[in-house]
Amino acid sequence: MANFFSASQEEQQEILLSFWHRFRFLIIGFFVLLIVFIGTRDYIKDSREDRELKTSLLFQDYLESDEDMPASAAELLKTYPESLYSDFVRLNQAKKEFTNGDIEKAEGLLKLVIDRHSNSSEAFNPLVAAAQTRLCRIYISKKEYQRVLDVLAKSSVLTATLLELKGDAENALGQYELARVSYMRALQNSPSQTSRALINMKISDLEGEKIE
């Protein structure tokens, strides 16, 4: 580089020309890749923003609709099945299906929300917790207590409500010691005084049972 700055103007031109002939393909390739990278990045950014706008508008239309299954919800689930808005639709539709008596369809929607995030690295996902809570309540209403424990088996973090449901299932299965532990953990995590009072009653009911 020192030789370049100390050379005459004519020599500098020769050096630059020699450099260009030697590395021109690398230089051209670099700028082509740079242009492609910038264009791809902008395209992805624009596509993502367009996708987020469309999904949010569809979800807003869904919330404002009085239909059980409006066209906006169907389009969300079909076109953007991996979006968070689709998960919100599934949660809400599961509630509607359960109310309408289609319990099997409600279960399917809730399982889909849970399964979709099964490989997530997040220790706690509020959407999954909501789906687990509703699914566990359905199973308890059907007296399918082991399925409650199966739903919660892979979760490392449980809400107070889920811990209480876990205790209910364990109690129904005769696992009284495990139920007591679940109720105690629910008691520690519950922010509601009413819920704590109810959990305390459940713990008291366990005291007369045989501990296994």
Side-chain angles (χ1 to χ4, degrees):
M1 188 62 68
N3 291 334
F4 177 80
F5 285 110
S6 62
S8 66
Q9 183 175 357
E10 185 176 334
E11 290 172 334
Q12 290 177 6
Q13 290 176 350
E14 289 180 358
I15 292 172
L16 289 173
L17 186 61
S18 174
F19 183 85
W20 167 252
H21 282 303
R22 186 175 181 182
F23 298 106
R24 63 184 183 277
F25 294 113
L26 288 175
I27 295 172
I28 292 172
F30 170 76
F31 282 106
V32 168
L33 288 175
L34 182 62
I35 293 171
V36 170
F37 169 77
I38 293 174
T40 303
R41 183 197 61 186
D42 291 343
Y43 173 77
I44 292 174
K45 181 181 178 182
D46 292 342
S47 297
R48 184 182 297 116
E49 291 176 351
D50 183 60
R51 178 177 180 272
E52 291 175 354
L53 177 61
K54 287 181 178 178
T55 53
S56 64
L57 290 174
L58 285 170
F59 186 66
Q60 182 179 352
D61 183 74
Y62 167 71
L63 292 178
E64 294 173 352
S65 175
D66 294 328
E67 300 176 38
D68 282 344
M69 186 63 169
S72 54
E75 185 176 350
L76 258 176
L77 295 176
K78 180 180 179 180
T79 310
Y80 308 101
E82 303 299 317
S83 70
L84 289 178
Y85 289 114
S86 290
D87 281 338
F88 281 119
V89 169
R90 293 183 185 107
L91 285 173
N92 202 41
Q93 284 301 124
K95 182 178 179 181
K96 290 182 179 180
E97 299 297 345
F98 181 79
T99 302
N100 293 336
D102 196 339
I103 298 177
E104 185 175 347
K105 192 169 183 179
E107 289 180 16
L109 289 166
L110 296 171
K111 288 177 185 177
L112 189 56
V113 175
I114 296 169
D115 293 342
R116 211 176 73 74
H117 298 276
S118 60
N119 296 323
S120 174
S121 59
E122 293 179 311
F124 177 77
N125 185 315
L127 276 175
V128 172
Q132 288 175 322
T133 299
R134 296 180 184 184
L135 186 58
C136 287
R137 283 175 173 160
I138 290 175
Y139 287 153
I140 286 178
S141 71
K142 297 167 63 179
K143 302 186 185 303
E144 297 177 354
Y145 304 113
Q146 184 56 50
R147 299 185 75 176
V148 173
L149 302 184
D150 293 340
V151 169
L152 304 178
K154 296 181 180 180
S155 298
S156 57
V157 179
L158 298 177
T159 64
T161 300
L162 286 172
L163 286 167
E164 183 180 355
L165 291 169
K166 183 172 182 285
D168 292 343
E170 290 164 339
N171 183 25
L173 291 170
Q175 301 172 4
Y176 305 120
E177 187 174 359
L178 293 176
R180 179 177 282 104
V181 172
S182 295
Y183 285 146
M184 290 298 296
R185 290 176 61 196
L187 193 64
Q188 293 171 356
N189 294 321
S190 178
S192 168
Q193 186 174 354
T194 303
S195 295
R196 289 198 298 270
L198 178 60
I199 295 169
N200 271 320
M201 289 175 60
K202 292 181 178 182
I203 295 173
S204 297
D205 291 339
L206 285 173
E207 291 180 358
E209 299 289 348
K210 179 182 177 181
I211 306 300
E212 299 181 347

